[in-house]
Amino acid sequence: MADVVRIEQREAITFVIVDNPPVNALSFPVRQGLWEALAAAEADLAQEAVVLVGAGAQFLSGADIREFGRPSQSPTLPELAVRIAAMSKPCIAAIRGAALGGGLELAMACHYRLAEQGARLGLPEVTLGLLPGAGGTQRLPRLVGVPLALEMIVHGAPIPAPQGLEAGLVDAVFHGDALEAAFRFVKEQPTEALALRRTDDRSDRLAGDHAGLFEAVRADLARRKPHLFAPQRAIEAVEAATGLPMADGLAREKALFAQCRASPQSAALIHRFFAERTVRKIAGLSRDVTSRPVTHAAVVGGGTMGVGIALSFANAGIPVKLVEVDKAALGRALQRAQNTYAASVRHGSLDAESVERRMALIEGVTDYAALADVDLVVEAVFEDVEVKRQVFQRLDAVCRPGAILATNTSSLNFDEIAAFTRRPEAVVGLHFFAPANVMPLLEVVRGARTSDDTLATAMALGRRLKKTAVVVGVCDGFVGNRMLFQYGREAEFLLEEGATPQQVDDALRRFGMAMGPFAVRDLSGLDVGLAIRRRQRAHAPAHLRWPTISDRLCAAGMFGQKTGAGYYRYEGGSRTPQENPDLLPMLEAASQDRGIERRLPDEALIIERTIFALINEGAKILEEGIAQRASDIDAIFINGYGFPAWRGGPMFYADQLGLDRVLERIRAFHAEHGDWWAPAPLLERAVAGGGTLTDWQPDRPAVVPKPLVGASL
Ligand code: 3H9
């Protein structure tokens, strides 16, 4: 038997222990080991019950996702679940940590389930573009009823053990050791032998007419997540449980699972799963590097961004000092924090007690001397290099040696900021995305002199703040904003050529973007980018032509939602975009200035012009070493820019489309629209060599900080 599964016996109980670090995924050797262990327990006449447990922190975290895409090997998970269900001796799952996907499916095939108080039980397959394929869609509704089963399977969120107990998913909740709890459970049963209580034979929780519920869930999904393939198939599978005998239901589940597994969405979502974990691997960082503890933090600047960052710390349980220039500004900042929490209470995502606890972690201060003992400070002041100089020099003077100084700059020269201090090795960029307490992305900027332990500390902090932290090198806009600039520029050019904001936004939303580019600009304020655009233009080659619509709107005082008009009009403080009648004359004037006749582009062209601009810039960023790998760029776009996860991110999407096709269009755009579209050499080479962006490996081991394009920005 494979040593990832071992057997221990205590009296007449066989414990089958899965020990497959790090998370007890059900890889082939585990399945094989389980199969053999079950057979051995069945054959041993002295043994009366079998307990399934996981060694380490998790019970079983589901199928080994790395095996998807390879031919399946018997015993498969569905076979194993059927084997467990048919055991002639009672099987008990004793769950500590996570019982997810195939892990919970095996537990549901068992005759009894016990869960530790803190355990989490779920079927998250839809997050991988799949549905539960080892009987989960048939057994969960039999145990907990159709409404909760649908909820868990269609949305994929795990439930805590106590809720599982209430719902009938588990039979008892325990504290402490799983083996001990299972032993006691068996011994304390009133009859000598536990009944073989098979989930498959149950139908009581399936009773009733659920047609209306299925239709409502279908319609809700179609409205809220219109692109997603797997959740709709998952509904069909659960529906089968209510109308078909077990064996037929399992067959239906198998067929629907196969459809999902073959879908491009599943490939993309699995890519996303690994991308979000691979970001933690920093090439060139010695294994000996350890992160420093961050027990006390500070944020300088109580604007929207600074407060959002302070809230992130408080949400993670880290005491944070919020620095403002005077009492009045501090009062406004703390009020902003309080208001944000009050909104969470209104929406039901936080209770008043948690708010009180978290607010108590935020201490407002106006004197930098209060920062003498903090471990890390995040600067979030106005984007002006002189202001930053003053802040960093003061921080450098008051903060203890070894304290990390981080900047949230999104557009200034990071290395220049680090050089304002006598500790550039302890300076790192922490580029949060607004609203910082909500958005899951954190770009961690590694400057020319950032030390390895500073970087490791920043990455570990990102994880504590529950962010997807991605290391990026220094350049104008880092990874995300630099790529977004190309995307936005093309979107604006499309307007000058004849499109309307609505048309472009709708096309990109149908493509799957969370919001269209013009709605985003109106939300963040067109004036925000004005200074950046001016600076970029001053340093760009003179022959490049720039779009003019944003500037025309700004000149007319239309900065977006905050002024009631921008690319759209917003009536009476509403956030609902309506056509802005003042825009059309600007669009016409821009077209006239360029001497072009306005014509509506088709949707495919809108997508290619914007998304391929992202891809081309992404390939340049990769080659420059600003991002470590293509999947890091994908993680950035999914977590920070509303790129559809089910397309896997822009780089994966390019690979899926075929890089030759992408390059052909980029070359055509280059010929038609000029140098903005100069094809990335990496793309040219990947096409010539038949490679993909996802598989591309840099020649050098780590993110190499690059000097900024142009002079000091
Ligand atoms: C399924 O079960 C299908 C069935 O219905 C039907 C089949 C027929 N496989 O997340 P972490 C790796 S679909 C392979 O940082 P944590 C992960 O890549 C499956 N590898 O840990 C990382 O590797 P590395 C349904 C996996 O403690 C390392 O483990 N199940 C798997 O923060 C640590 O991961 C799921 O979707 C896996 N299943 O969180 C559960 N899981 O160190 C997916 C993890 O090289 N897993 N790895 O970067 C999770 O949600 C979390 O990993 C878990 C632990 C909560 C378990």
Side-chain angles (χ1 to χ4, degrees):
M1 188 194 304
D3 54 9
V4 286
V5 177
R6 62 176 189 273
I7 280 185
E8 284 177 18
Q9 289 180 345
R10 186 163 163 196
E11 299 181 11
I13 304 171
T14 298
F15 292 91
V16 177
I17 304 167
V18 175
D19 191 0
N20 185 26
V23 294
N24 288 336
L26 288 152
S27 0
F28 171 62
V30 175
R31 300 196 304 273
Q32 205 175 27
L34 280 173
W35 191 271
E36 289 168 18
L38 292 171
E42 185 105 89
D44 189 340
L45 297 180
Q47 293 296 299
E48 289 168 4
V50 180
V51 175
L52 181 58
V53 275
Q58 317 296 357
F59 173 67
L60 301 169
S61 63
D64 185 336
I65 303 166
R66 289 179 207 278
E67 286 181 2
F68 289 133
R70 294 185 222 152
S72 61
Q73 279 175 290
S74 197
T76 61
L77 270 175
E79 287 165 355
L80 204 49
V82 169
R83 176 84 178 82
I84 292 174
M87 284 285 284
S88 61
K89 296 174 185 180
C91 289
I92 301 114
I95 299 167
R96 273 193 79 232
L100 297 177
L104 181 60
E105 291 177 291
L106 293 192
M108 290 193 291
C110 287
H111 309 116
Y112 298 90
R113 283 153 296 281
L114 316 176
E116 200 264 338
Q117 173 78 16
R120 291 182 309 129
L121 315 141
L123 294 174
E125 284 86 343
V126 285
T127 62
L128 302 169
L130 299 169
L131 51 83
T137 62
Q138 308 303 297
R139 293 193 179 99
L140 188 60
R142 282 176 161 77
L143 289 168
V144 304
V146 176
L148 180 60
L150 254 187
E151 168 77 24
M152 288 175 68
I153 292 171
V154 168
H155 299 291
I159 59 169
Q163 191 186 345
L165 178 66
E166 208 175 299
L169 181 54
V170 297
D171 302 291
V173 166
F174 64 87
H175 295 267
D177 185 62
L179 273 71
E180 191 54 40
F183 182 75
R184 267 188 284 112
F185 176 79
V186 176
K187 295 306 258 182
E188 283 165 10
Q189 292 313 301
T191 52
E192 215 146 81
L194 280 168
L196 288 174
R197 207 191 43 173
R198 297 189 210 281
T199 308
D200 300 13
D201 297 339
R202 290 184 57 180
S203 58
D204 51 310
R205 302 296 304 263
L206 299 175
D209 179 5
H210 303 291
L213 175 65
F214 286 118
E215 275 330 297
V217 176
R218 267 195 185 103
D220 179 59
L221 256 179
R223 192 170 47 79
R224 292 196 297 129
K225 297 179 181 169
H227 302 92
L228 294 187
F229 182 76
Q232 292 286 1
R233 307 288 92 68
I235 299 174
E236 264 182 71
V238 177
E239 206 167 17
T242 63
L244 298 176
M246 187 73 191
D248 296 348
L250 287 178
R252 186 83 197 106
E253 178 193 84
K254 186 176 179 182
L256 290 163
F257 180 83
Q259 283 180 25
C260 291
R261 198 175 142 177
S263 71
Q265 289 197 2
S266 177
L269 287 164
I270 288 174
H271 169 78
R272 187 272 292 263
F273 178 86
F274 288 117
E276 287 176 352
R277 284 158 178 82
T278 309
V279 290
R280 295 181 213 140
K281 300 188 171 115
I282 306 170
L285 205 66
S286 150
R287 283 195 170 272
D288 310 332
V289 173
T290 49
S291 62
R292 298 185 226 158
V294 176
T295 52
H296 290 87
V299 176
V300 181
T304 313
M305 190 50 103
V307 167
I309 298 171
L311 293 173
S312 298
F313 280 105
N315 293 345
I318 303 173
V320 58
K321 290 177 175 162
L322 182 58
V323 188
E324 254 303 349
V325 283
D326 54 36
K327 285 233 155 13
L330 191 58
R332 285 194 296 275
L334 293 173
Q335 190 57 51
R336 196 172 281 141
Q338 189 75 56
N339 293 348
T340 309
Y341 277 144
S344 305
V345 173
R346 273 199 308 281
H347 298 139
S349 54
L350 265 187
D351 57 38
E353 199 186 310
S354 315
V355 169
E356 206 173 307
R357 221 178 24 250
R358 292 178 195 198
M359 275 308 288
L361 291 172
I362 305 177
E363 182 191 347
V365 299
T366 52
D367 186 353
Y368 274 56
L371 309 186
D373 57 354
V374 298
D375 306 305
L376 178 140
V377 187
V378 186
E379 162 279 309
V381 299
F382 189 63
E383 284 282 270
D384 176 280
V385 79
E386 263 318 301
V387 180
K388 305 272 186 194
R389 178 202 298 277
Q390 285 168 25
V391 169
F392 272 85
Q393 286 175 345
R394 287 178 78 183
L395 289 175
D396 196 26
V398 299
C399 291
R400 63 168 178 75
I404 291 176
L405 308 182
T407 171
N408 179 53
T409 186
S410 59
S411 61
L412 299 174
N413 183 337
F414 171 86
D415 288 323
E416 197 178 332
I417 294 173
F420 294 149
T421 72
R422 290 159 301 165
R423 58 175 98 186
E425 73 291 345
V427 182
V428 68
L430 289 180
H431 183 205
F432 288 84
F433 289 74
N437 52 314
V438 176
M439 291 295 284
L441 177 63
L442 181 66
E443 282 184 330
V444 175
V445 185
R446 183 184 202 176
R449 298 175 64 185
T450 306
S451 69
D452 284 358
D453 66 326
T454 300
L455 188 67
T457 307
M459 291 298 283
L461 175 69
R463 203 163 175 202
R464 269 177 84 193
L465 299 183
K466 296 204 164 52
K467 307 281 181 201
T468 298
V470 188
V471 178
V472 299
V474 177
C475 67
D476 190 7
F478 309 121
V479 171
N481 284 352
R482 174 169 156 185
M483 286 171 66
L484 193 74
F485 163 73
Q486 307 289 334
Y487 165 89
R489 180 206 71 225
E490 282 306 307
E492 211 174 318
F493 275 144
L494 285 164
L495 296 191
E496 297 188 354
E497 291 162 26
T500 64
Q502 180 96 37
Q503 199 194 2
V504 174
D505 280 357
D506 285 353
L508 282 157
R509 266 208 322 275
R510 275 193 287 269
F511 172 81
M513 298 298 291
M515 282 175 85
F518 298 115
V520 170
R521 285 186 181 188
D522 273 1
L523 181 66
S524 27
L526 302 187
D527 49 333
V528 173
L530 196 60
I532 300 174
R533 285 199 297 280
R534 288 198 182 126
R535 231 171 23 212
Q536 283 175 328
R537 226 173 288 191
H539 294 105
H543 70 279
L544 283 176
R545 190 167 43 76
W546 293 68
T548 59
I549 309 299
S550 266
D551 292 349
R552 287 174 200 259
L553 284 166
C554 285
M558 296 187 212
F559 296 141
Q561 284 192 18
K562 60 180 151 190
T563 55
Y567 284 98
Y568 298 96
R569 174 177 286 221
Y570 304 87
E571 298 287 351
S574 131
R575 291 179 170 206
T576 312
Q578 290 171 2
E579 193 184 316
N580 178 0
D582 297 326
L583 180 67
L584 189 61
M586 295 184 198
L587 300 184
E588 283 169 346
S591 313
Q592 207 169 14
D593 288 353
R594 284 178 58 187
I596 49 177
E597 201 180 313
R598 294 182 63 74
R599 68 195 143 82
L600 286 177
D602 66 23
E603 190 146 327
L605 185 70
I606 294 174
I607 304 301
E608 288 182 347
R609 286 278 293 280
T610 49
I611 302 294
F612 289 10
L614 278 182
I615 295 167
N616 199 32
E617 194 67 13
K620 292 177 186 173
I621 280 173
L622 254 189
E623 188 158 32
E624 288 172 29
I626 298 296
Q628 288 193 96
R629 45 185 97 79
S631 63
D632 282 16
I633 297 177
D634 290 332
I636 286 174
F637 265 81
I638 290 170
N639 286 284
Y641 295 87
F643 196 95
W646 53 270
R647 290 196 191 270
M651 312 314 271
F652 185 79
Y653 174 65
D655 286 339
Q656 296 284 84
L657 274 183
L659 290 186
D660 46 353
R661 177 173 151 199
V662 174
L663 180 60
E664 189 191 306
R665 296 299 287 148
I666 288 175
R667 283 183 177 143
F669 294 146
H670 188 204
E672 192 180 345
H673 301 289
D675 271 357
W676 286 119
W677 281 101
L682 173 64
L683 209 49
E684 305 254 18
R685 284 203 309 280
V687 169
T692 64
L693 295 174
T694 306
D695 291 338
W696 182 78
Q697 296 280 339
D699 307 333
R700 51 183 172 271
V703 171
V704 177
K706 281 268 164 181
L708 284 160
V709 183
S712 160
L713 291 185

